[in-house]
Amino acid sequence: VQLQASGGGLVQAGGSLRLSCAASTSTVSINIMGWYRQGPGKQRELVAAITGSGDTNYADSVKGRFTISRDNAKKAVYLQMNSLKPEDTAVYYCYVRGRSWPNSFDTQYWGQGTQVTVSS
């Protein structure tokens, strides 16, 4: 699976950004799509995830500010980030979990990361 993320950049606190990530695969059935981030000197953390049926999960720190969505036909996942704070500064990585025949387990795939910088 190849994942291509885009949409990062520099924004002032209180601003918005929208991240996009498209998956390229013809053999993997994608289940969960989502985003992690890794800030300077911090461990990578889950930001948001979404299942194929639309169930979502968010980190407490982004609830009410970020919205994850996906387009199953395009195999794409999006992260709308509003009311951004300097502490949101990080490299954001999209990921998917999927399964390919004949495996009985999911595999997680990672995108290359996109930088989000929020200035105060």
Side-chain angles (χ1 to χ4, degrees):
V1 177
Q2 290 189 334
L3 298 172
Q4 183 66 46
S6 61
L10 173 64
V11 64
Q12 289 187 331
S16 298
L17 283 174
R18 186 174 189 249
L19 305 183
S20 301
C21 180
S24 298
T25 178
S26 59
T27 59
V28 175
S29 177
I30 295 173
N31 296 321
I32 297 173
M33 306 184 81
W35 298 88
Y36 275 76
R37 69 184 179 186
Q38 187 166 16
K42 298 181 181 180
Q43 290 187 328
R44 190 175 294 192
E45 63 172 350
L46 177 66
V47 177
I50 185 168
T51 67
S53 58
D55 293 329
T56 58
N57 181 40
Y58 294 95
D60 287 342
S61 59
V62 307
K63 284 180 181 177
R65 300 188 298 121
F66 290 11
T67 301
I68 190 170
S69 60
R70 65 188 277 175
D71 184 327
N72 291 328
K74 295 182 179 180
K75 298 178 184 177
V77 61
Y78 309 98
L79 187 67
Q80 178 66 43
M81 305 185 293
N82 298 328
S83 302
L84 282 161
K85 304 175 181 180
E87 50 263 44
D88 295 317
T89 295
V91 178
Y92 285 70
Y93 299 90
C94 66
Y95 79 97
V96 302
R97 288 182 61 85
R99 186 172 302 186
S100 58
W101 188 90
N103 295 331
S104 60
F105 54 87
D106 285 354
T107 300
Q108 189 150 317
Y109 304 88
W110 294 94
Q112 84 281 12
T114 184
Q115 177 70 46
V116 171
T117 302
V118 184
S119 63
S120 57

